[in-house]
Amino acid sequence: MAPPNEATKPVIDGSHTDNPTGLFTLSDSKLRVNGVTLLSEVPENITFNSFSSICPTSQPPLPLFQQVQSRSHMGSFIGFAQPQPSDRLMNSLGRFTCRNFLSVFRFKTWWSTMSVGTSGSDLQMETQWVLLEVPELASYALILPLIEGKFRSALHPGRDGHVMVCAESGSTKARASAFDAIAYVHLSDNPYNLMKEAYSAARVHLNTFRLLEEKSPPPIVDKFGWCTWDAFYLTVDPIGVWHGLNEFVEGGVSPRFLIIDDGWQSVSFDGENPMEDAKNLVLGGTQMTARLYRFEECDRFKKYRGGIMLGTDAPPFDPKRPKMLIEKAIEVEQAEKALDKAEQNGVTELSEFESRIRELRHQLSAMMGGGEGGVGDENASCEAEEFGMKAFTKDLRTRFKGLDDVYVWQALCGAWGGVRPGATHLESKVVPVTVSPGLDGTMNDLAVVKIVEGGIGLVRPDQAADYFDSMHSHLAQSGVTGVKVDVIHTLEYVCEEQGGRIELAKAYYEGLTRSLVKNFKGTGLLASMQQCNDFFFLGTQQIAFGRAGDDFWFQDPSGDPMGAYWLQGVHMIHCAYNSLWMGQIIHPDWDMFQSDHLCAKFHAGSRAICGGPVYVSDSVGGHDFSLLKKIVHPDGTVPRCQHFALPTRDCLFKNPLFDGETVLKIWNLNKFGGVVGAFNCQGAGWDRGEQRIRGFAHCYKPTSGSVHMTDIEWDQKNETAAMGETEEFAVYLDQAEDLKLMTRESEPIQFTVQPSSFEIFSFVPVRKLGQDLRFAPIGLVNMFNCGGTIIEVDHRVGGEGEVAVRIEVKGGGKFLAYSSGRPRKGFLNGGEVELKWSVDGKLSLCVDWVGENGVSEVDFVF
């Protein structure tokens, strides 16, 4: 049979067209590409502009401009004009029906996910882009909303198949009535090239951001780390962090980076002592109306005394304490919800509810006790060098030699509630929050409720650079090497008096960029809660690393007991499909998980081939080290893929969450092969009617699919393109522990995966060496991404037909290769060793971790 991805030759050559706008034409109320109608009933006020008319000169690097210009006939800009200026304009772009599409939309202010359908009316509100299948041309078209002037745009559903574009400024003082390039449309026969080309065109046109290929992600992308969030929530303290890191080292996986998440900052509430840390903060949500009152660490960290954890009498840590605090805080939260519900139901006698809350809060306060204090002398001078965050990071690096990076959390505006007015040298003001009408269709979100309740303490935009530098310079001097910047899209809530969301964003992102370059080597930043197009178009001049999915949820906050299972598949879908667009601009991060979670193995399999870092948020005492050792080397590095994982073509227009039949397949590339992961994510998804992500229990069942070597997009890296032309592949199935052979003409491999389960298929080209030998190195098969353990492969053919193969492999465990013949000898690091070979071609031997970097030389002589 023909390979699954082999399509009819595309009919999209428009390089010699006489049409000034290239492949696209707009006439008779129809937007056509090479004669095929994409949109009909296009309004008369829509304009269509060529690339050359919008981008006549080049400010970006000349080679990039020339690349984009050479493809300019493949795309065009869309504008519109209306009679009256407004701060928010809606306009139809036309309609389509009976055409498959894939889109990404915001389901919360901060987070995006995928959606599929066949009509413009099937789109969700706040759609960031839509990819249309054009089978008539064996091609794909992308409609990409842009920013123009003071306006940012998104797509919305219209009636009767219409696609609406919404342009909004976020301020009634910023109004317009006409746009020349509020959206961009592009065509390609390859959906992955399409995303590259469209975002490259946007980059050249806007010149406000840079592509990933122009930047360097932070070094942590190659490493294993630990984030403190799920371990401690807001109770994080130096002793707990120390003992947590020590457990990983003793367990045989050494974190190379640490993220001290929310809880380290100095925050206080309105109405309380403005210059003292807020007390009894435990759960996420309780801190969301607090404001930053100083740029230095809170007292728990500020009172840390240098050297105290290095001695033999270091303070112990009770791993049960965070769990007890969290359980008690949950009781408080439930009692508060019960009070709210009683009030909503008209209950007038509330004293019993209020008394219960006071009692529980008192119990929590007593449990916190000395835990708010930190480790050191109450009367110590916190100005001294041997105290505080600086002393702590110094001790961490003294004890944990492999710890390269320490990041800390911050909200873009400081804390969740911003910066407290009058508390710092900066001028800040509490600004009431206004949520855009476009977010009406998003999911109910506790964070938004709390931020609306408290407003944002916004530092003046012209002081943004000073604000970021004030915080980051202190951190850099304290041994912190990067920041996780969260809650990024609060800016759009508070832009009414700042000239709109674009102007406010420009000021803040410029200040953040300058501080990143000055204090964190230009790379030390992880962007989070940032999944909206204006961040990517305005905030990524320097930022090169960011979250691709929603938070890891270990259970459903809405209470569905099955959520502990189905939420994990939802997370993978977010990451895989968001990477299609985010990966053009930043390196996608698939977030942390917990190694002892019910679905930890499911997560670990995806992280192994996602192409980014691996990090966990394990509680102290809550680890599965045997699982972690399948994705992390003892030195804290990871066998990372060469690309970022993306959905395969046959998943692009399917629903792998609740269509009951589609397995999510993601592909990636290794140096000497490729990989496809098949993940059964069925069982949940976005419910448009309920405006939330919920379970679809009838879909949580075994699901079948197929895989072929053509599922891998080999040409997405120049270094791997030649492998795609190989005639024969060895295919290793990780979970089945099976080795197969496949040619381009082979039938696809059929498989069935259980719910919340997976299979990883590693494809390695079979090379003909000498006259008769066929050989393919698989790698260390005790690692999920076995192909990632292969560092180098070389061979030589000597006299009398002798063939010698040398493989450099990193790690320890079982090395496997396919070999059509039995070797005469096998060597490991120069010494002859016993090997195993069977007539089906399986060739294996045992490899130990050696030296500091764990790289061994494996030689076979035939």
Side-chain angles (χ1 to χ4, degrees), residues 256-269:
R256 298 291 289 272
F257 69 91
L258 165 69
I259 300 176
I260 301 175
D261 214 297
D262 198 358
W264 72 272
Q265 289 181 312
S266 297
V267 299
S268 60
F269 290 106

Side-chain angles (χ1 to χ4, degrees), residues 816-856:
L816 180 68
Y818 168 76
S819 177
S820 62
R822 181 186 184 93
R824 291 192 290 112
K825 293 181 180 180
F827 298 88
L828 179 62
N829 295 318
E832 190 169 353
V833 293
E834 180 181 354
L835 53 83
K836 294 182 180 179
W837 180 83
S838 56
V839 292
D840 61 358
K842 292 180 181 177
L843 172 62
S844 64
L845 55 78
C846 293
V847 177
D848 293 326
W849 178 272
V850 294
E852 291 188 2
N853 65 4
V855 176
S856 294

Side-chain angles (χ1 to χ4, degrees), residues 467-485:
Y467 151 61
F468 285 115
D469 185 58
S470 296
M471 184 190 301
H472 296 164
S473 61
H474 167 73
L475 291 172
Q477 292 165 12
S478 299
V480 172
T481 57
V483 282
K484 173 185 175 181
V485 181

Side-chain angles (χ1 to χ4, degrees), residues 623-661:
H623 315 286
D624 184 342
F625 288 118
S626 61
L627 177 63
L628 289 175
K629 290 175 182 178
K630 291 182 178 294
I631 54 178
V632 180
H633 291 308
D635 66 351
T637 60
V638 297
R640 186 170 71 88
C641 289
Q642 305 282 299
H643 201 264
F644 46 89
L646 293 173
T648 57
R649 292 195 192 201
D650 55 353
C651 287
L652 290 180
F653 302 102
K654 300 293 182 64
N655 181 355
L657 280 173
F658 57 96
D659 68 3
E661 61 183 26

Side-chain angles (χ1 to χ4, degrees), residues 156-167:
H156 289 242
R159 294 182 179 179
D160 301 322
H162 275 264
V163 181
M164 308 299 294
V165 62
C166 174

